Amino acid sequence: MSQMIEEVRSKAVVYTGDEIGQEKCKFLLTEVGLPNGLLPLRDIIECGHVEETGFVWMRQKEKIEHKFEAIPGTLVSYATEVTATIQDKRIKNLTGVKVRELMIWVRLTEIYVDDPPTGKITFKSSIGINKSHPVSAFQIEDVKQVEA
């Protein structure tokens, strides 16, 4: 675990386990006005949030790659540890997320939803490549079981 997380852990609300981790990750994204499917992590071990600074982290068992079906050709890699600072309609200081762009992996550093709303979400990379996509491409419907 990174040194930074150990230092902020005492100030954080920490959740352990995949089910609660998935729920809290989606909740935090929605709470700040971002689409809930933006971080499709699996087998979450731990999810933490320092409310006063907006710092969050998610740890998963292993690195994963994810294709967003609504955006052909987009492959995103999520490390075992993803950290960020979340603010209103924005993720800053993002670590652990890379996107494949022109046959190379590029580290994403910031994600934000346009304000005023245009229906677009923008992804900024560490090398200056910025891409915008429809917010709806990263929104997932909550699946609720209906009892007969």
Side-chain angles (χ1 to χ4, degrees), residues 64-68 74-78 97-99 105:
I64 63 164
E65 291 180 355
H66 180 80
K67 290 182 183 181
F68 287 96
T74 299
L75 183 62
V76 183
S77 172
Y78 297 89
V97 180
K98 295 179 183 177
V99 64
W105 287 100

Side-chain angles (χ1 to χ4, degrees), residues 42-110:
R42 292 191 295 257
D43 297 324
I44 295 175
I45 298 167
E46 182 178 85
C47 174
H49 178 226
V50 181
E51 194 169 343
E52 68 184 47
T53 63
F55 180 74
V56 296
W57 74 90
M58 282 81 47
R59 289 183 31 233
Q60 58 184 351
K61 286 184 183 177
E62 55 188 41
K63 172 185 141 179
I64 63 164
E65 291 180 355
H66 180 80
K67 290 182 183 181
F68 287 96
E69 298 300 324
I71 305 171
T74 299
L75 183 62
V76 183
S77 172
Y78 297 89
T80 56
E81 185 174 284
V82 174
T83 67
T85 302
I86 58 171
Q87 301 171 340
D88 187 39
K89 296 181 175 75
R90 184 174 299 268
I91 294 176
K92 296 176 79 171
N93 306 318
L94 181 62
T95 67
V97 180
K98 295 179 183 177
V99 64
R100 192 164 165 191
E101 192 68 42
L102 302 172
M103 305 297 282
I104 61 169
W105 287 100
V106 178
R107 188 172 65 91
L108 292 180
T109 57
E110 189 171 345

